[in-house]
Amino acid sequence: MATNNSQPNTETQEEKFSVNKHNDEISIYTLRNNNGMEANITNFGATLFSLYVPTKNGKIDVVLGFNTIDEYIKAFEIGASPYFNAIVGRFAGRIKNSQFSLNGKIIQLDKNHGKHHLHGGKYQLSNVAWNFENYNEDENAITFSYLSKANEYYPGDVNIEVTYTLTENNELNIKYKATTTEDTLLNLTNHAYFNLDGISGNTLNQKLQVNAEKFLELDSENIPTGNFIAMENHAFDFRNSKNVVAGVDHCFVLKNNNEPAAILESEINGLTMKVYTDQPAVQIYVGGKTSEELQNKNLVEYHTESGICFETQVFPDAPNHEDFPNAILRKGETYHQNTTFKFINS
């Protein structure tokens, strides 16, 4: 899938919504608010291409990413994609031994992470062109859709809609909606890599607080054991705000959906991001290092602490643990998910 980056940009400064077309399949769609915030989203993977937020030091892009859409495509082609800012599914996270039981039948999934299944496997949502459905001028929102077909390992044709909304309160809201023709497994998220110091910063210089008391215990292959670890007296105790810690790639069990799931703060830019969600957990991952074959934004060399992800979702390997939150979408039901990233200047 190739793109044409030479076509003219149709954006104007006055519009809240504009489109930069790259080819017949892929475009970048821009949302702006009256405060100078700007979200650029491509229908390739329904991916957040960039997110510019005003700070005391000027407007900055707060999400990692590649220079062009071609680099996003190339990353998947060479098997080195970090899933930068893309919609992930059908199942976000790992599934042990790439299988689960549904209605008395063993469903065998694609083994794309050793013997395990990760982020939807071969037929995932992150490396396909979604359909642009509409722009809602009243809400300053755009909606993309994708039909994930049955027999791509998962059962059922699943019709998915994702809506990005940029509010005048400097909130980027992501709403998910899905229906299925058969009972199936579904767990969607956005895999944005944030850095409130800017894309060349180090997240270990930022403060993190998480609204949780425990996180999932993992085995040596990063698969949940079914047990939980108390955050108290642990290096990953973010119950109170403290500096981000290297090596975090864990699922935190959220306490109260009325409170922010997580709060990230940059003293350098005087910027705070609050994450709100209706999901039972947030997978927090500190990373960002990319292949030398790929060109990052502004040719910045990302490292293992360049970004931090807040993947709001159900628990990894959920279908293989009876006491984990349900991740089965039944025929006749509708899947809903709602996550908001709110930015505050000090």
Side-chain angles (χ1 to χ4, degrees):
M1 186 186 299
T3 63
N4 180 0
N5 293 319
S6 63
Q7 295 195 25
N9 190 333
T10 59
E11 296 176 323
T12 64
Q13 293 295 323
E14 294 77 21
E15 294 174 320
K16 277 195 169 184
F17 170 70
S18 54
V19 182
N20 184 347
K21 187 174 182 180
H22 288 272
N23 64 15
D24 290 338
E25 284 189 297
I26 299 170
S27 299
I28 294 177
Y29 303 82
T30 300
L31 297 175
R32 303 179 185 87
N33 68 11
N34 292 321
N35 305 318
M37 190 168 166
E38 179 181 301
N40 293 287
I41 305 151
T42 173
N43 62 311
F44 179 74
T47 297
L48 183 62
F49 192 79
S50 58
L51 182 63
Y52 290 95
V53 180
T55 76
K56 67 180 183 181
N57 295 317
K59 188 184 295 188
I60 64 166
D61 188 357
V62 297
V63 292
L64 308 187
F66 296 121
N67 248 349
T68 65
I69 292 175
D70 286 327
E71 293 300 299
Y72 286 86
I73 296 170
K74 180 180 177 181
F76 282 104
E77 288 176 345
I78 67 174
S81 177
Y83 299 89
F84 274 150
N85 319 325
I87 298 301
V88 172
R90 287 190 192 187
F91 191 90
R94 297 170 177 85
I95 296 179
K96 185 176 182 178
N97 296 327
S98 302
Q99 63 182 25
F100 66 99
S101 178
L102 177 62
N103 298 334
K105 180 182 177 182
I106 298 296
I107 307 297
Q108 182 64 52
L109 302 174
D110 179 39
K111 297 179 180 180
N112 68 319
H113 192 68
K115 64 183 179 181
H116 308 300
H117 181 79
L118 177 68
H119 292 338
K122 180 179 179 180
Y123 299 103
Q124 56 197 242
L125 308 178
S126 305
N127 66 342
V128 292
W130 290 52
N131 298 312
F132 170 73
E133 289 294 330
N134 61 68
Y135 168 64
N136 184 320
E137 184 176 1
D138 292 336
E139 295 184 3
N140 198 25
I142 54 175
T143 298
F144 301 99
S145 70
Y146 183 74
L147 179 62
S148 178
K149 295 181 180 179
N151 301 321
E152 294 179 347
Y153 293 98
Y154 291 88
D157 287 339
V158 176
N159 189 32
I160 304 167
E161 290 188 355
V162 172
T163 299
Y164 287 89
T165 302
L166 183 60
T167 76
E168 293 301 323
N169 293 321
N170 286 359
E171 298 164 327
L172 182 69
N173 173 257
I174 309 176
K175 284 189 174 69
Y176 308 73
K177 180 181 177 181
T179 56
T180 181
T181 59
E182 300 176 47
D183 293 354
T184 194
L185 182 67
L186 194 67
N187 178 35
L188 307 178
T189 195
N190 181 282
H191 209 300
Y193 288 69
F194 291 97
N195 192 316
L196 302 188
D197 291 346
I199 61 173
S200 61
N202 190 316
T203 57
L204 302 191
N205 297 323
Q206 293 157 52
K207 303 285 188 182
L208 174 64
Q209 184 175 354
V210 182
N211 183 28
E213 296 284 349
K214 58 187 178 181
F215 58 91
L216 270 62
E217 181 185 66
L218 303 176
D219 66 17
S220 61
E221 296 181 299
N222 284 339
I223 302 294
T225 65
N227 299 321
F228 300 88
I229 297 175
M231 292 168 66
E232 185 178 6
N233 298 322
H234 194 281
F236 299 160
D237 185 356
F238 297 107
R239 293 175 301 165
N240 297 306
S241 182
K242 72 173 189 178
N243 280 70
V244 174
V245 175
V248 180
D249 188 7
H250 293 75
C251 183
F252 291 81
V253 181
L254 298 175
K255 289 195 303 180
N256 185 341
N257 290 130
N258 294 321
E259 299 294 328
I263 302 173
L264 186 67
E265 300 175 88
S266 164
E267 295 180 353
I268 292 174
N269 286 317
L271 185 63
T272 298
M273 182 181 75
K274 295 184 177 182
V275 183
Y276 295 88
T277 187
D278 57 6
Q279 295 298 285
V282 56
Q283 179 83 15
I284 298 180
Y285 170 56
V286 176
K289 185 174 176 61
T290 52
S291 168
E292 294 179 357
E293 297 182 52
L294 301 166
Q295 289 190 353
N296 302 328
K297 289 180 182 178
N298 302 330
L299 302 183
V300 171
E301 186 175 342
Y302 298 143
H303 49 81
T304 53
E305 290 87 42
S306 284
I308 180 168
C309 303
F310 299 92
E311 303 164 57
T312 54
Q313 58 180 88
V314 300
F315 299 175
D317 202 33
N320 292 317
H321 300 266
E322 290 185 358
D323 57 340
F324 280 11
N326 174 59
I328 301 300
L329 177 65
R330 301 290 180 182
K331 181 179 178 180
E333 297 178 344
T334 301
Y335 171 94
H336 291 282
Q337 211 249 72
N338 190 352
T339 294
T340 298
F341 302 97
K342 180 178 178 64
F343 296 87
I344 303 167
N345 286 291
S346 59

